[in-house]
Amino acid sequence: MRASPFQNPPLLAALLLKPFFFPFRPSSSSSSSSLSLPGKTLAMAKTLDESHVGISCYVSSLPGFRGVLKQRYADFIVNEVDGDGKIVRLTTVDLPPNVDDDKEEEKSPSIDKDYSSEIESFRSLCGDADAEALKELLGRISSSPESDVLPIILSPDSDKSHRADVHNFFKKNFNFLVTDTVEGSDGNERCIRVRFSLKEAGGGSRRGKKRKNTGHSDSNDGRPFDSRGSDSWPEHLGKFLRFHLYKENKDTQEALGVIGKMLGIQQRSFGFAGTKDKRSISTQRATIFKLHANRLAALNSRLFGIKVGDFSYVREGLVLGQLFGNRFTITLRGVVADSEETVKTAADGLGKNGFINYYGLQRFGSGSVPTHLVGAALLRGEWKDAVYLILDPREGERADVREAREFYKEHGNIDATLRKLPRHLVAERAVLQCLKKCPGNYLQALKAIPRTLRMMYVHSYQSYLWNHAVSMRVQKYGVSQVALGDLVYCKDSSPVDMVKVDSSETEDDLNDGSLLEESGEEIPDEKVQFVKTVDSEDLQKGTYTFEDVVLPLPGSRIIYPGNEVANLYHEMATKDGISLIESAHGVKEFSITSMKGGYRRVFQRPIDYRWELRTYTDDNISLAETDLDIMSKSTPSDLTRKELLTNGDSAKKLASQKSKVVCYLCRCR
């Protein structure tokens, strides 16, 4: 840091942007080896730098200032903005009003009843071993009637009709026991699992649900379980429970994984519109099929760093992309500037000049193995290389995580590595668990990663190309006007020479995919826009401005610009050994030609953007209110050191590395 009148005491800054992210420039650059070569992916020697992912241009030439972003996770507060433009906040943890939950709260089953005759009937159906296992399960339930009693797995049964008889037996005789069919220990046999559940947890057989038990779950015994809720759902309630998920220093997948484990529900059963940063405090909407609010609300007393509330029943679950954007309250600490006027000019300049809408560093990961390198390996069909990149040690990680990675690389001991790996490393754990079961099957191991997470790698490569294309567009044609051959969202109603696209642009969070890839549903008419190529007549009329310009995320249903920018996409992909017009393999989900693609605006101005300077005395206090603060009517205390707080809405997130001095605020990109 250079000396400054504001260096002692340091300034603090926070800003909120809408609707896209604002990337800051790192205080110093780092060297690295080349990112990729045809047919081979190379890990970087040092942590990722913005220049590696195509971030190199500015909108403004104003002098800026430096500050520390995410010194504390509470310095980055995210509130989802739903499809109707409403800010999602946690306002209550009470059960929804006007819903008679008592109707569904049946009394606990009479587990003290003598089930001797039923057990003997079951013995004749399934044999002594299974009958004794059932008897033991009933004993455990009787002594501890809790919904988390461990399930039992019956003997392998290859006869489908016999399994049907077993399912029906439980449905008829034990309304507090739920059965489903799972894979046996060797992966080739079918077994029936029996678990205890109160009626609201989903009593009844799941035999009729044709869902593949190929995923991994955090349920009690580690086996997959498809908990789709009660068959006797009240007609007056929507079939999905929607709730607001508040979390601190956890990403969305991790938080839902914790909740799913406590409920005995697979993580994939949850719906959500976008993944939020791990190092943040965030609130977003989520949905679950046929689950009563009282079950979810009861978890609040046992959850750490997570709260759920604002419950309601709705007709449809959430899918990726069903949001307007995100609202950010961002605090920058340790601000260094020549003067207070420099800070004011820079902060005001951001609101006035806007920024180039790059995908930030969080899109590519903060470590030395960026996600787009994994994506490139997947697009080439190099499954083994992709797995190694996911598992390999990297710079900047916690010591225990790096130790676990290095242990696996040296010894190849999966069991011992899994004991060392933290549970929040979902992708790594899923890969290792599958490799333990299917040694050498690297493609299957990649598919074991939850879909929203594994698709992030290919989407990251799309973003990598997009960033470089944006930099070329700005360097070649500037930011003052539209250029011949640019792509724009069309202002005409005539569909001639236009391509229909979804107007909701892709979500910028680290683990998100594009709405166009994830949603198989038709896009409503009001969500549809047309993209066209700017011609000489458009230039003469002055119909379009730089703010209308979009660039494509590669896919099968997009068009490229009608100028030199289009060549960059293909040249960079070819250099990486990737074709954007044909697939190198038959795995559709890892092929750009099987993805629809999308469009993203090149330039954006922040919406509802506000900032202010404050002072404070304690480095450890939070400088902005969270939803929990507001709920408890508490406010940040004793602000007596310099801070810059800004407010606004954003559909894309701020980019930076954790707790580094990184910002030239005025140089909006």
Side-chain angles (χ1 to χ4, degrees):
M1 277 186 199
R2 51 184 177 147
S4 154
F6 293 97
Q7 190 167 3
N8 190 13
L11 292 168
L12 291 131
L15 65 149
L16 285 166
L17 308 176
K18 167 75 190 170
F20 302 114
F21 81 94
F22 170 73
F24 291 111
R25 178 184 228 173
S27 58
S28 62
S29 61
S30 59
S31 60
S32 72
S33 59
S34 61
L35 298 183
S36 60
L37 293 172
K40 186 174 182 180
T41 304
L42 302 176
M44 296 173 62
K46 295 187 178 180
T47 54
L48 197 64
D49 180 74
E50 288 183 335
S51 62
H52 294 136
V53 295
I55 301 173
S56 59
C57 295
Y58 302 87
V59 167
S60 171
S61 58
L62 289 170
F65 61 87
R66 296 175 183 245
V68 181
L69 177 65
K70 293 188 181 180
Q71 179 173 313
R72 306 175 75 249
Y73 65 79
D75 291 343
F76 199 85
I77 300 174
V78 187
N79 289 87
E80 191 169 83
V81 181
D82 68 18
D84 295 325
K86 297 178 181 178
I87 298 173
V88 176
R89 298 190 183 278
L90 184 70
T91 62
T92 178
V93 294
D94 296 333
L95 294 176
N98 303 322
V99 175
D100 188 2
D101 278 326
D102 291 336
K103 289 182 180 179
E104 57 84 20
E105 281 193 50
E106 302 287 345
K107 293 181 179 180
S108 298
S110 178
I111 51 182
D112 293 329
K113 171 185 171 182
D114 183 3
Y115 286 101
S116 300
S117 60
E118 287 85 351
I119 292 174
E120 291 309 310
S121 296
F122 183 69
R123 190 185 305 275
S124 63
L125 179 64
C126 292
D128 291 339
D130 288 342
E132 292 303 314
L134 175 59
K135 186 176 180 180
E136 181 183 349
L137 174 64
L138 294 174
R140 294 202 308 270
I141 294 172
S142 179
S143 60
S144 179
E146 299 292 337
S147 60
D148 58 356
V149 173
L150 287 175
I152 60 170
I153 306 295
L154 303 182
S155 303
D157 189 349
S158 59
D159 187 339
K160 186 174 182 180
S161 62
H162 183 263
R163 293 200 305 270
D165 292 338
V166 176
H167 286 300
N168 288 328
F169 175 87
F170 280 97
K171 189 173 184 180
K172 178 180 178 181
N173 296 285
F174 299 96
N175 62 354
F176 55 90
L177 295 179
V178 176
T179 62
D180 64 336
T181 302
V182 298
E183 292 180 354
S185 57
D186 64 356
N188 297 318
E189 298 174 320
R190 295 288 182 181
C191 302
I192 290 178
R193 175 171 47 182
V194 184
R195 76 180 186 103
F196 171 63
S197 176
L198 297 176
K199 260 198 169 182
E200 71 263 21
S205 169
R206 305 307 308 155
R207 184 170 55 86
K209 302 296 181 182
K210 296 181 179 293
R211 290 176 63 91
K212 296 179 180 179
N213 287 311
T214 56
H216 293 270
S217 171
D218 287 327
S219 58
N220 288 326
D221 67 346
R223 293 175 180 268
F225 175 67
D226 180 24
S227 179
R228 295 291 285 174
S230 173
D231 288 325
S232 55
W233 188 257
E235 293 184 2
H236 67 289
L237 295 184
K239 292 186 177 181
F240 288 87
L241 173 64
R242 187 175 68 193
F243 60 96
H244 291 186
L245 171 66
Y246 172 96
K247 59 185 182 60
E248 299 180 350
N249 205 29
K250 294 177 177 60
D251 64 35
T252 304
Q253 298 277 1
E254 180 183 357
L256 292 178
V258 170
I259 294 172
K261 181 178 181 180
M262 295 172 73
L263 293 173
I265 294 173
Q266 285 198 60
Q267 187 173 331
R268 68 183 182 187
S269 297
F270 292 96
F272 54 92
T275 303
K276 312 307 176 192
D277 288 75
K278 172 181 172 61
R279 191 167 177 79
S280 70
I281 294 177
S282 66
T283 307
Q284 65 184 112
R285 279 184 171 173
T287 56
I288 184 72
F289 186 72
K290 289 186 177 180
L291 185 82
H292 285 282
N294 57 352
R295 285 200 70 210
L296 192 54
L299 300 182
N300 276 320
S301 61
R302 299 160 56 195
L303 290 167
F304 178 76
I306 302 171
K307 287 289 180 287
V308 291
D310 294 89
F311 306 104
S312 62
Y313 297 101
V314 295
R315 294 179 179 273
E316 297 179 352
L318 287 169
V319 297
L320 286 178
Q322 288 186 329
L323 75 168
F324 181 76
N326 295 299
R327 177 183 180 91
F328 298 101
T329 304
I330 302 170
T331 302
L332 300 180
R333 297 178 182 262
V335 167
V336 179
D338 291 328
S339 67
E340 186 170 331
E341 185 62 28
T342 298
V343 175
K344 181 180 184 302
T345 302
D348 288 341
L350 174 60
K352 178 181 178 180
N353 300 320
F355 49 91
I356 295 175
N357 193 28
Y358 287 114
Y359 285 101
L361 288 178
Q362 83 282 3
R363 182 72 166 186
F364 309 95
S366 58
S368 55
V369 182
T371 53
H372 72 277
L373 289 189
V374 181
L378 294 174
L379 292 170
R380 292 192 294 264
E382 298 171 353
W383 318 128
K384 186 175 182 180
D385 285 355
V387 166
Y388 284 167
L389 283 171
I390 292 170
L391 296 176
D392 271 358
R394 55 203 67 191
E395 282 195 0
E397 284 190 310
R398 284 172 13 195
D400 59 333
V401 176
R402 185 175 180 84
E403 179 186 350
R405 292 184 187 276
E406 289 176 343
F407 178 86
Y408 177 72
K409 188 172 185 178
E410 181 178 353
H411 302 285
N413 187 321
I414 293 178
D415 286 330
T417 304
L418 286 171
R419 288 194 293 270
K420 293 174 177 289
L421 271 179
R423 290 197 171 273
H424 74 267
L425 296 178
V426 176
E428 289 84 348
R429 294 184 65 86
V431 165
L432 287 172
Q433 286 166 350
C434 187
L435 288 178
K436 176 183 176 181
K437 181 178 177 181
C438 307
N441 193 336
Y442 297 102
L443 175 58
Q444 190 63 34
L446 291 164
K447 288 187 174 183
I449 301 172
R451 176 174 169 78
T452 52
L453 186 53
R454 68 178 183 261
M455 291 308 298
M456 170 263 296
Y457 299 117
V458 176
H459 294 150
S460 177
Y461 187 76
Q462 290 175 297
S463 306
Y464 170 73
L465 295 182
W466 192 92
N467 274 3
H468 282 279
V470 168
S471 291
M472 179 182 181
R473 163 61 181 80
V474 173
Q475 290 165 4
K476 192 166 186 65
Y477 302 111
V479 297
S480 60
Q481 60 187 5
V482 68
L484 186 67
D486 275 340
L487 295 179
V488 292
Y489 281 135
C490 186
K491 295 180 179 179
D492 270 338
S493 58
S494 171
V496 179
D497 297 327
M498 303 172 199
V499 176
K500 188 168 77 170
V501 297
D502 175 19
S503 63
S504 299
E505 302 184 57
T506 56
E507 176 71 5
D508 184 44
D509 300 301
L510 177 62
N511 292 340
D512 278 346
S514 166
L515 173 63
L516 293 177
E517 277 85 46
E518 296 293 341
S519 175
E521 301 178 0
E522 288 295 319
I523 301 168
D525 290 340
E526 64 271 16
K527 290 281 189 177
V528 168
Q529 285 186 326
F530 291 95
V531 166
K532 67 161 291 180
T533 305
V534 172
D535 56 28
S536 56
E537 184 178 351
D538 295 321
L539 294 180
Q540 290 176 355
K541 291 181 178 179
T543 308
Y544 299 99
T545 68
F546 179 60
E547 295 188 33
D548 299 313
V549 176
V550 300
L551 278 173
L553 291 154
S556 62
R557 299 190 185 180
I558 56 94
I559 60 173
Y560 290 95
N563 51 38
E564 295 181 40
V565 177
N567 297 330
L568 181 72
Y569 283 93
H570 297 283
E571 289 170 1
M572 291 192 66
T574 299
K575 184 178 179 181
D576 291 334
I578 296 166
S579 171
L580 299 182
I581 58 175
E582 60 183 19
S583 179
H585 50 75
V587 183
K588 288 186 177 181
E589 65 178 303
F590 298 141
S591 169
I592 279 185
T593 58
S594 297
M595 301 168 70
K596 296 177 182 179
Y599 297 88
R600 179 179 171 92
R601 293 185 187 274
V602 169
F603 172 83
Q604 193 65 44
R605 296 184 193 277
I607 297 174
D608 188 24
Y609 168 76
R610 302 187 300 276
W611 67 271
E612 60 179 301
L613 231 53
R614 293 184 182 177
T615 58
Y616 68 99
T617 55
D618 186 350
D619 283 329
N620 295 316
I621 66 169
S622 295
L623 298 168
E625 283 188 324
T626 68
D627 287 354
L628 286 186
D629 291 330
I630 296 171
M631 281 178 63
S632 60
K633 300 188 181 301
S634 65
T635 56
S637 58
D638 259 6
L639 304 177
T640 37
R641 214 159 137 208
K642 291 284 182 183
E643 165 189 70
L644 173 67
L645 286 171
T646 66
N647 300 290
D649 294 332
S650 178
K652 308 298 167 185
K653 291 199 314 243
L654 194 82
S656 84
Q657 300 180 51
K658 293 179 182 177
S659 302
K660 279 193 170 184
V661 178
V662 289
C663 100
Y664 288 93
L665 181 58
C666 66
R667 299 188 177 180
C668 311
R669 306 184 184 162

mmCIF file of all heavy atoms in Angstrom, residues 509-536:
data_model
loop_
_atom_site.group_PDB
_atom_site.id
_atom_site.type_symbol
_atom_site.label_atom_id
_atom_site.label_comp_id
_atom_site.label_asym_id
_atom_site.label_seq_id
_atom_site.Cartn_x
_atom_site.Cartn_y
_atom_site.Cartn_z
ATOM 1 N N ASP A 509 -23.236 -16.537 -10.553
ATOM 2 C CA ASP A 509 -22.658 -17.155 -9.364
ATOM 3 C C ASP A 509 -21.787 -18.333 -9.736
ATOM 4 O O ASP A 509 -21.932 -18.942 -10.775
ATOM 5 C CB ASP A 509 -23.765 -17.610 -8.416
ATOM 6 C CG ASP A 509 -24.614 -16.437 -7.986
ATOM 7 O OD1 ASP A 509 -24.049 -15.507 -7.402
ATOM 8 O OD2 ASP A 509 -25.821 -16.439 -8.255
ATOM 9 N N LEU A 510 -20.888 -18.665 -8.846
ATOM 10 C CA LEU A 510 -19.850 -19.649 -9.147
ATOM 11 C C LEU A 510 -20.385 -20.978 -9.620
ATOM 12 O O LEU A 510 -19.873 -21.555 -10.564
ATOM 13 C CB LEU A 510 -18.992 -19.866 -7.887
ATOM 14 C CG LEU A 510 -17.903 -20.928 -7.999
ATOM 15 C CD1 LEU A 510 -16.903 -20.537 -9.063
ATOM 16 C CD2 LEU A 510 -17.198 -21.096 -6.672
ATOM 17 N N ASN A 511 -21.398 -21.471 -8.981
ATOM 18 C CA ASN A 511 -21.862 -22.815 -9.318
ATOM 19 C C ASN A 511 -23.109 -22.812 -10.179
ATOM 20 O O ASN A 511 -23.764 -23.823 -10.325
ATOM 21 C CB ASN A 511 -22.161 -23.602 -8.030
ATOM 22 C CG ASN A 511 -20.900 -23.892 -7.277
ATOM 23 O OD1 ASN A 511 -19.825 -23.856 -7.839
ATOM 24 N ND2 ASN A 511 -21.017 -24.176 -6.004
ATOM 25 N N ASP A 512 -23.474 -21.687 -10.763
ATOM 26 C CA ASP A 512 -24.686 -21.626 -11.549
ATOM 27 C C ASP A 512 -24.458 -22.051 -12.975
ATOM 28 O O ASP A 512 -23.392 -21.908 -13.538
ATOM 29 C CB ASP A 512 -25.239 -20.200 -11.582
ATOM 30 C CG ASP A 512 -26.038 -19.909 -10.348
ATOM 31 O OD1 ASP A 512 -26.372 -20.859 -9.651
ATOM 32 O OD2 ASP A 512 -26.313 -18.742 -10.098
ATOM 33 N N GLY A 513 -25.511 -22.513 -13.581
ATOM 34 C CA GLY A 513 -25.511 -22.755 -15.001
ATOM 35 C C GLY A 513 -26.414 -21.755 -15.676
ATOM 36 O O GLY A 513 -27.071 -20.949 -15.058
ATOM 37 N N SER A 514 -26.436 -21.800 -16.997
ATOM 38 C CA SER A 514 -27.301 -20.922 -17.762
ATOM 39 C C SER A 514 -28.729 -21.433 -17.714
ATOM 40 O O SER A 514 -28.982 -22.621 -17.763
ATOM 41 C CB SER A 514 -26.817 -20.877 -19.213
ATOM 42 O OG SER A 514 -27.787 -20.297 -20.042
ATOM 43 N N LEU A 515 -29.670 -20.518 -17.648
ATOM 44 C CA LEU A 515 -31.077 -20.903 -17.681
ATOM 45 C C LEU A 515 -31.380 -21.678 -18.949
ATOM 46 O O LEU A 515 -32.162 -22.612 -18.960
ATOM 47 C CB LEU A 515 -31.957 -19.653 -17.595
ATOM 48 C CG LEU A 515 -33.459 -19.853 -17.787
ATOM 49 C CD1 LEU A 515 -34.006 -20.742 -16.682
ATOM 50 C CD2 LEU A 515 -34.180 -18.530 -17.815
ATOM 51 N N LEU A 516 -30.741 -21.303 -20.035
ATOM 52 C CA LEU A 516 -31.024 -21.950 -21.305
ATOM 53 C C LEU A 516 -30.570 -23.398 -21.306
ATOM 54 O O LEU A 516 -31.135 -24.230 -22.004
ATOM 55 C CB LEU A 516 -30.338 -21.187 -22.447
ATOM 56 C CG LEU A 516 -30.905 -19.786 -22.707
ATOM 57 C CD1 LEU A 516 -30.101 -19.102 -23.795
ATOM 58 C CD2 LEU A 516 -32.368 -19.850 -23.092
ATOM 59 N N GLU A 517 -29.534 -23.720 -20.549
ATOM 60 C CA GLU A 517 -29.105 -25.107 -20.477
ATOM 61 C C GLU A 517 -29.933 -25.899 -19.483
ATOM 62 O O GLU A 517 -30.187 -27.076 -19.677
ATOM 63 C CB GLU A 517 -27.633 -25.201 -20.051
ATOM 64 C CG GLU A 517 -26.668 -25.026 -21.185
ATOM 65 C CD GLU A 517 -26.388 -23.574 -21.442
ATOM 66 O OE1 GLU A 517 -26.146 -22.835 -20.492
ATOM 67 O OE2 GLU A 517 -26.421 -23.168 -22.621
ATOM 68 N N GLU A 518 -30.332 -25.272 -18.375
ATOM 69 C CA GLU A 518 -30.921 -26.017 -17.279
ATOM 70 C C GLU A 518 -32.419 -26.225 -17.422
ATOM 71 O O GLU A 518 -32.962 -27.175 -16.908
ATOM 72 C CB GLU A 518 -30.652 -25.274 -15.950
ATOM 73 C CG GLU A 518 -29.170 -25.196 -15.598
ATOM 74 C CD GLU A 518 -28.588 -26.533 -15.295
ATOM 75 O OE1 GLU A 518 -29.326 -27.481 -14.999
ATOM 76 O OE2 GLU A 518 -27.359 -26.663 -15.351
ATOM 77 N N SER A 519 -33.111 -25.318 -18.083
ATOM 78 C CA SER A 519 -34.558 -25.408 -18.141
ATOM 79 C C SER A 519 -35.005 -26.035 -19.436
ATOM 80 O O SER A 519 -34.663 -25.583 -20.512
ATOM 81 C CB SER A 519 -35.171 -24.008 -18.001
ATOM 82 O OG SER A 519 -36.566 -24.084 -18.166
ATOM 83 N N GLY A 520 -35.786 -27.097 -19.327
ATOM 84 C CA GLY A 520 -36.311 -27.735 -20.511
ATOM 85 C C GLY A 520 -37.676 -27.195 -20.892
ATOM 86 O O GLY A 520 -38.302 -27.663 -21.836
ATOM 87 N N GLU A 521 -38.168 -26.199 -20.153
ATOM 88 C CA GLU A 521 -39.494 -25.680 -20.398
ATOM 89 C C GLU A 521 -39.462 -24.573 -21.443
ATOM 90 O O GLU A 521 -38.442 -23.940 -21.682
ATOM 91 C CB GLU A 521 -40.087 -25.130 -19.096
ATOM 92 C CG GLU A 521 -40.176 -26.185 -17.991
ATOM 93 C CD GLU A 521 -40.716 -25.605 -16.710
ATOM 94 O OE1 GLU A 521 -41.004 -24.392 -16.696
ATOM 95 O OE2 GLU A 521 -40.856 -26.354 -15.743
ATOM 96 N N GLU A 522 -40.618 -24.350 -22.070
ATOM 97 C CA GLU A 522 -40.748 -23.251 -23.007
ATOM 98 C C GLU A 522 -40.656 -21.927 -22.249
ATOM 99 O O GLU A 522 -41.176 -21.778 -21.148
ATOM 100 C CB GLU A 522 -42.089 -23.335 -23.742
ATOM 101 C CG GLU A 522 -42.153 -24.471 -24.755
ATOM 102 C CD GLU A 522 -41.178 -24.270 -25.902
ATOM 103 O OE1 GLU A 522 -41.043 -23.136 -26.380
ATOM 104 O OE2 GLU A 522 -40.545 -25.260 -26.303
ATOM 105 N N ILE A 523 -39.992 -20.955 -22.858
ATOM 106 C CA ILE A 523 -39.851 -19.649 -22.232
ATOM 107 C C ILE A 523 -41.123 -18.840 -22.462
ATOM 108 O O ILE A 523 -41.589 -18.742 -23.595
ATOM 109 C CB ILE A 523 -38.641 -18.902 -22.837
ATOM 110 C CG1 ILE A 523 -37.369 -19.721 -22.622
ATOM 111 C CG2 ILE A 523 -38.490 -17.522 -22.227
ATOM 112 C CD1 ILE A 523 -36.193 -19.222 -23.406
ATOM 113 N N PRO A 524 -41.706 -18.255 -21.412
ATOM 114 C CA PRO A 524 -42.910 -17.443 -21.599
ATOM 115 C C PRO A 524 -42.656 -16.300 -22.581
ATOM 116 O O PRO A 524 -41.554 -15.771 -22.656
ATOM 117 C CB PRO A 524 -43.192 -16.908 -20.185
ATOM 118 C CG PRO A 524 -42.483 -17.857 -19.271
ATOM 119 C CD PRO A 524 -41.281 -18.329 -20.014
ATOM 120 N N ASP A 525 -43.694 -15.898 -23.317
ATOM 121 C CA ASP A 525 -43.546 -14.866 -24.336
ATOM 122 C C ASP A 525 -42.974 -13.575 -23.773
ATOM 123 O O ASP A 525 -42.175 -12.900 -24.422
ATOM 124 C CB ASP A 525 -44.903 -14.578 -24.995
ATOM 125 C CG ASP A 525 -45.368 -15.737 -25.868
ATOM 126 O OD1 ASP A 525 -44.507 -16.555 -26.257
ATOM 127 O OD2 ASP A 525 -46.574 -15.813 -26.150
ATOM 128 N N GLU A 526 -43.404 -13.222 -22.547
ATOM 129 C CA GLU A 526 -42.928 -11.958 -21.997
ATOM 130 C C GLU A 526 -41.449 -12.006 -21.629
ATOM 131 O O GLU A 526 -40.836 -10.982 -21.362
ATOM 132 C CB GLU A 526 -43.755 -11.574 -20.759
ATOM 133 C CG GLU A 526 -43.640 -12.532 -19.584
ATOM 134 C CD GLU A 526 -44.674 -13.643 -19.649
ATOM 135 O OE1 GLU A 526 -45.263 -13.846 -20.739
ATOM 136 O OE2 GLU A 526 -44.901 -14.293 -18.614
ATOM 137 N N LYS A 527 -40.852 -13.216 -21.588
ATOM 138 C CA LYS A 527 -39.443 -13.346 -21.261
ATOM 139 C C LYS A 527 -38.564 -13.424 -22.506
ATOM 140 O O LYS A 527 -37.355 -13.554 -22.413
ATOM 141 C CB LYS A 527 -39.218 -14.621 -20.424
ATOM 142 C CG LYS A 527 -39.774 -14.540 -19.019
ATOM 143 C CD LYS A 527 -38.847 -13.765 -18.133
ATOM 144 C CE LYS A 527 -39.261 -13.862 -16.683
ATOM 145 N NZ LYS A 527 -38.320 -13.155 -15.810
ATOM 146 N N VAL A 528 -39.181 -13.400 -23.680
ATOM 147 C CA VAL A 528 -38.445 -13.616 -24.914
ATOM 148 C C VAL A 528 -38.035 -12.294 -25.553
ATOM 149 O O VAL A 528 -38.822 -11.357 -25.625
ATOM 150 C CB VAL A 528 -39.289 -14.440 -25.911
ATOM 151 C CG1 VAL A 528 -38.658 -14.433 -27.288
ATOM 152 C CG2 VAL A 528 -39.435 -15.859 -25.399
ATOM 153 N N GLN A 529 -36.800 -12.206 -26.000
ATOM 154 C CA GLN A 529 -36.332 -11.094 -26.805
ATOM 155 C C GLN A 529 -35.673 -11.655 -28.058
ATOM 156 O O GLN A 529 -35.378 -12.849 -28.139
ATOM 157 C CB GLN A 529 -35.334 -10.237 -26.027
ATOM 158 C CG GLN A 529 -35.977 -9.360 -24.968
ATOM 159 C CD GLN A 529 -34.966 -8.437 -24.328
ATOM 160 O OE1 GLN A 529 -33.807 -8.783 -24.165
ATOM 161 N NE2 GLN A 529 -35.413 -7.244 -23.968
ATOM 162 N N PHE A 530 -35.426 -10.780 -29.016
ATOM 163 C CA PHE A 530 -34.745 -11.186 -30.229
ATOM 164 C C PHE A 530 -33.376 -10.527 -30.292
ATOM 165 O O PHE A 530 -33.183 -9.396 -29.856
ATOM 166 C CB PHE A 530 -35.572 -10.782 -31.459
ATOM 167 C CG PHE A 530 -36.843 -11.566 -31.610
ATOM 168 C CD1 PHE A 530 -38.050 -11.076 -31.121
ATOM 169 C CD2 PHE A 530 -36.837 -12.804 -32.232
ATOM 170 C CE1 PHE A 530 -39.219 -11.795 -31.254
ATOM 171 C CE2 PHE A 530 -38.006 -13.530 -32.370
ATOM 172 C CZ PHE A 530 -39.201 -13.030 -31.882
ATOM 173 N N VAL A 531 -32.418 -11.265 -30.853
ATOM 174 C CA VAL A 531 -31.074 -10.744 -31.063
ATOM 175 C C VAL A 531 -30.859 -10.589 -32.560
ATOM 176 O O VAL A 531 -31.257 -11.462 -33.342
ATOM 177 C CB VAL A 531 -30.020 -11.702 -30.460
ATOM 178 C CG1 VAL A 531 -28.635 -11.361 -30.960
ATOM 179 C CG2 VAL A 531 -30.055 -11.632 -28.948
ATOM 180 N N LYS A 532 -30.241 -9.506 -32.946
ATOM 181 C CA LYS A 532 -29.960 -9.308 -34.364
ATOM 182 C C LYS A 532 -28.555 -8.739 -34.540
ATOM 183 O O LYS A 532 -27.938 -8.241 -33.592
ATOM 184 C CB LYS A 532 -30.977 -8.371 -34.999
ATOM 185 C CG LYS A 532 -30.905 -6.927 -34.506
ATOM 186 C CD LYS A 532 -31.599 -5.975 -35.479
ATOM 187 C CE LYS A 532 -30.795 -5.880 -36.775
ATOM 188 N NZ LYS A 532 -31.408 -4.977 -37.763
ATOM 189 N N THR A 533 -28.060 -8.792 -35.770
ATOM 190 C CA THR A 533 -26.757 -8.245 -36.123
ATOM 191 C C THR A 533 -26.941 -6.825 -36.645
ATOM 192 O O THR A 533 -27.760 -6.577 -37.536
ATOM 193 C CB THR A 533 -26.077 -9.104 -37.204
ATOM 194 O OG1 THR A 533 -26.005 -10.455 -36.738
ATOM 195 C CG2 THR A 533 -24.676 -8.595 -37.497
ATOM 196 N N VAL A 534 -26.207 -5.881 -36.107
ATOM 197 C CA VAL A 534 -26.313 -4.475 -36.511
ATOM 198 C C VAL A 534 -25.794 -4.310 -37.937
ATOM 199 O O VAL A 534 -24.684 -4.752 -38.268
ATOM 200 C CB VAL A 534 -25.524 -3.576 -35.548
ATOM 201 C CG1 VAL A 534 -25.455 -2.152 -36.059
ATOM 202 C CG2 VAL A 534 -26.150 -3.627 -34.156
ATOM 203 N N ASP A 535 -26.596 -3.674 -38.792
ATOM 204 C CA ASP A 535 -26.185 -3.419 -40.177
ATOM 205 C C ASP A 535 -26.004 -1.924 -40.403
ATOM 206 O O ASP A 535 -26.204 -1.100 -39.500
ATOM 207 C CB ASP A 535 -27.200 -4.014 -41.163
ATOM 208 C CG ASP A 535 -28.616 -3.512 -40.931
ATOM 209 O OD1 ASP A 535 -28.776 -2.371 -40.425
ATOM 210 O OD2 ASP A 535 -29.574 -4.244 -41.255
ATOM 211 N N SER A 536 -25.665 -1.540 -41.624
ATOM 212 C CA SER A 536 -25.381 -0.133 -41.939
ATOM 213 C C SER A 536 -26.615 0.741 -41.759
ATOM 214 O O SER A 536 -26.513 1.907 -41.358
ATOM 215 C CB SER A 536 -24.846 -0.017 -43.369
ATOM 216 O OG SER A 536 -25.761 -0.599 -44.292
#
